[in-house]
Amino acid sequence: GAGVSQSPSNKVTEKGKDVELRCDPISGHTALYWYRQSLGQGLEFLIYFQGNSAPDKSGLPSDRFSAERTGGSVSTLTIQRTQQEDSAVYLCASSWTQNEQFFGPGTRLTVL
Amino acid sequence: SQKIEQNSEALNIQEGKTATLTCNYTNYSPAYLQWYRQDPGRGPVFLLLIRENEKEKRKERLKVTFDTTLKQSLFHITASQPADSATYLCALDPFGQLTFGSGTQLTVLP
C-alpha cells in the first residue's frame, strides 16, 4: 500500500522561472490538499480538491499559484514567475473523508 | 479572524514524565479537532481526532481532551520517551479544510 508521493523531493530554481510540483495521492482518496510550510512555521493551507466539486482556492497567496487535479487523482501545483518568498516545503495530503489526512514527504522548493 | 494558538514553541521534559501540550482557538466552532506529529524533514502524521461531543479520547500513551466552552484541547503523552520528541500540531476544520496551529516542539530528555 503506497502512501502519498510527491515529486520532486527537492527543487532549486531561479527567480522568475515557473515550477511544477506533483502529488500522487492514495488510491481511492477523494480529497486532496496542498499546504505550504516555511522554515519553523506551521502549515499554510493553499488549495483543496474534493471529488468533482470546484476546488477551494481560498488559500492561494497570489494568482501566480494554480493547481489542477486530473482524473480525480494526480495533482500538479504550478507556481509561475517564482519569487524568493515562495521558498518553502510544499506538502500534499489526501483523505477519504474530511477527517484524517495522509501527508506526502513534501517538495522543498528553493528560489535563488 | 480565526486563530489557533499552541501553548509554546518548545517544551522540554524529562523522560518518564507526562507531556501536556495546549491548543487554543478563537472564532471557531469546529466539529472536531485533530492532532498530528511531525518529524524533521517529513510530512505530518495523524495521531488522534476528537469530536465536539467527546470530552476525552485515548490511544495507547496518548490522551486528548476537548473543551468547547474553553475553546481548548489538551494533548497528553504519558510515560514520555525520547522517541516522542517531535513537533506536535493541532488542526481544526472550520470549512472543510484543516487549519493548523504552528506547532509545539517537544523534546524528551533521557
Side-chain angles (χ1 to χ4, degrees), chain A residues 29-104:
Chain A
H29 280 188
T30 57
L32 186 147
Y33 310 78
W34 282 98
Y35 298 89
R36 177 169 71 175
Q37 188 171 35
S38 301
L39 187 63
Q41 302 297 310
L43 277 71
E44 175 189 4
F45 166 76
L46 296 177
I47 188 168
Y48 160 49
F49 297 88
Q50 174 61 54
N52 295 320
S53 303
D56 175 356
K57 303 180 182 180
S58 60
L60 294 178
S62 78
D63 58 8
R64 296 186 296 105
F65 288 71
S66 62
E68 290 185 338
R69 188 179 186 192
T70 55
S73 180
V74 172
S75 177
T76 302
L77 176 70
T78 301
I79 309 173
Q80 296 179 310
R81 304 181 302 283
T82 52
Q83 304 295 312
Q84 289 184 328
E85 60 262 29
D86 299 335
S87 297
V89 175
Y90 289 82
L91 290 158
C92 172
S94 69
S95 68
W96 176 246
T97 66
Q98 290 177 357
N99 292 346
E100 175 184 357
Q101 294 187 14
F102 294 82
F103 282 81

Side-chain angles (χ1 to χ4, degrees), chain A residues 33 35 37 40-45 48 56 58 91 98-106 108, chain B residues 32 34 36 38 41-46 49 51 89 93 95-103:
Chain A
Y33 310 78
Y35 298 89
Q37 188 171 35
Q41 302 297 310
L43 277 71
E44 175 189 4
F45 166 76
Y48 160 49
D56 175 356
S58 60
L91 290 158
Q98 290 177 357
N99 292 346
E100 175 184 357
Q101 294 187 14
F102 294 82
F103 282 81
R108 181 174 299 277
Chain B
Y32 55 84
Q34 302 185 33
Y36 287 76
Q38 187 173 25
R42 311 189 78 138
V45 174
F46 172 81
L49 178 151
R51 300 185 186 281
L89 304 163
D93 173 26
F95 305 119
Q97 40 91 348
L98 285 181
T99 299
F100 284 82
S102 56

